[in-house]
Amino acid sequence: MEKITFSDWNFADEINTKEDVAGMLEAVIDLAIQENDPEYLLKAIGDIARSKGMAQLARELNLDRSSLYKSLSPSGNPSFFTIAKVMDNLGFQLSVKQKVPA
């Protein structure tokens, strides 16, 4: 039997516009909340950051590259400030909106 291998899928490779990224991030945030698992969001932000270039991003944020990689890894535990800085650098802002009643 032939061995089948799979490569990791990176959604950042599949999106081309800021609107695509924003839509994906909104969906990932909803999924992370629904599944009670913040790793979904960390992975998504990490994938987007890597697609931009982690070394460049770290320089622009005055952060150590290896620390940024670690904090945005699925097992990372970044501060809210780090997430906000990364999102800002990627061209997004965090905001609050009132939840629509079910």
Side-chain angles (χ1 to χ4, degrees), residues 15 17-29 48 92:
I15 52 181
T17 67
K18 289 223 184 261
E19 290 80 13
D20 291 342
V21 174
M24 182 58 80
L25 285 172
E26 285 182 14
V28 168
I29 288 169
I48 295 166
F92 297 96

Side-chain angles (χ1 to χ4, degrees), residues 4-70:
I4 299 173
T5 59
F6 296 92
S7 61
D8 287 338
W9 179 73
N10 180 347
F11 82 84
D13 294 337
E14 306 296 326
I15 52 181
N16 301 309
T17 67
K18 289 223 184 261
E19 290 80 13
D20 291 342
V21 174
M24 182 58 80
L25 285 172
E26 285 182 14
V28 168
I29 288 169
D30 288 344
L31 180 62
I33 292 168
Q34 180 181 6
E35 297 293 325
N36 196 30
D37 191 345
E39 288 185 20
Y40 290 108
L41 182 57
L42 287 179
K43 176 150 180 25
I45 293 171
D47 287 347
I48 295 166
R50 278 185 287 286
S51 74
K52 177 178 180 177
M54 197 67 84
Q56 176 184 341
L57 181 62
R59 274 192 306 275
E60 291 171 2
L61 297 176
N62 293 321
L63 298 172
D64 179 68
R65 183 181 56 83
S66 62
S67 295
L68 187 58
Y69 265 111
K70 185 177 179 179

